[in-house]
Amino acid sequence: MTEAMQREEKARLSSSRTKAIRLILAGTAIFLFAASVTALHGQGPDSSKAADNKTQLSPQEQSMRRDQSYVRKLLERGTSDSKIETSLQITSRFTSFNSSGDFHAYVLGLVAKRRKLSSKQTKSAAKRHYPCSACPCCS
């Protein structure tokens, strides 16, 4: 009888082990499925992502804006036009987009445009300021 009880005990243990293994495998499968669905969900077409794609700039436009920003910073530091041109030749991607374009004319155009914008901004700032006794800069 003891031998029969031992067999029964082993059968119960092996079936409970099998159930535990099946439960672990099912849990793992569910976890992997949820992870893959989450990853795929982030890549699906989304209305906000579609709107972002419309507002994204082309690489050429990004390069031009980067160059404009760089020129602005260099002009604020008081850098000469020739040094700006030399610096932009190193950093700009203009030649990769416009292989036949005139880089010198491109740089001069950026500098002129930036100077024109900065002169307009200083003029409008001067027009807005009226000296008064309450103003800390006037007293």
Side-chain angles (χ1 to χ4, degrees), residues 120-132 135:
K120 282 183 180 180
Q121 289 173 353
T122 56
K123 286 179 184 177
S124 65
K127 287 180 184 177
R128 281 185 260 142
H129 182 72
Y130 298 103
C132 61
C135 181

Side-chain angles (χ1 to χ4, degrees), residues 2 8 12 14 16 20 31 33 35-36 39-40 42 44 56 58-59 61 65 67 77 85 96 100 106 115 118 121 124:
T2 60
E8 227 177 275
R12 262 191 303 151
S14 80
S16 64
F31 175 77
F33 175 75
S36 66
L40 292 175
Q56 285 182 344
S58 71
E61 291 169 334
R65 287 199 178 179
D67 290 348
R77 293 181 191 161
E85 183 174 357
S96 66
S100 62
Y106 171 70
R115 284 201 172 129
S118 64
Q121 289 173 353
S124 65

Side-chain angles (χ1 to χ4, degrees), residues 36-117:
S36 66
V37 167
T38 304
L40 292 175
H41 178 69
Q43 296 174 358
D46 194 355
S47 60
S48 64
K49 286 191 177 192
D52 287 344
N53 288 338
K54 290 178 185 175
T55 60
Q56 285 182 344
L57 301 173
S58 71
Q60 185 174 5
E61 291 169 334
Q62 289 175 359
S63 175
M64 186 177 224
R65 287 199 178 179
R66 192 172 34 251
D67 290 348
Q68 289 171 347
S69 175
Y70 189 58
V71 166
R72 179 183 49 82
K73 288 177 185 176
L74 290 175
L75 285 174
E76 287 173 355
R77 293 181 191 161
T79 309
S80 69
D81 292 357
S82 61
K83 286 186 180 180
I84 290 174
E85 183 174 357
T86 305
S87 299
L88 270 179
Q89 279 180 335
I90 297 168
T91 61
S92 179
R93 294 176 54 196
F94 173 80
T95 53
S96 66
F97 295 118
N98 302 309
S99 58
S100 62
D102 184 12
F103 186 76
H104 181 71
Y106 171 70
V107 172
L108 290 179
L110 286 177
V111 170
K113 183 178 179 181
R114 189 65 222 169
R115 284 201 172 129
K116 186 177 179 181
L117 284 173

Side-chain angles (χ1 to χ4, degrees), residues 1-31:
M1 260 323 229
T2 60
E3 202 174 312
M5 289 178 83
Q6 286 176 351
R7 280 188 212 153
E8 227 177 275
E9 186 70 28
K10 282 183 181 178
R12 262 191 303 151
L13 285 176
S14 80
S15 69
S16 64
R17 284 182 188 156
T18 305
K19 286 179 185 176
I21 291 172
R22 285 181 183 163
L23 184 61
I24 291 170
L25 289 174
T28 305
I30 290 171
F31 175 77

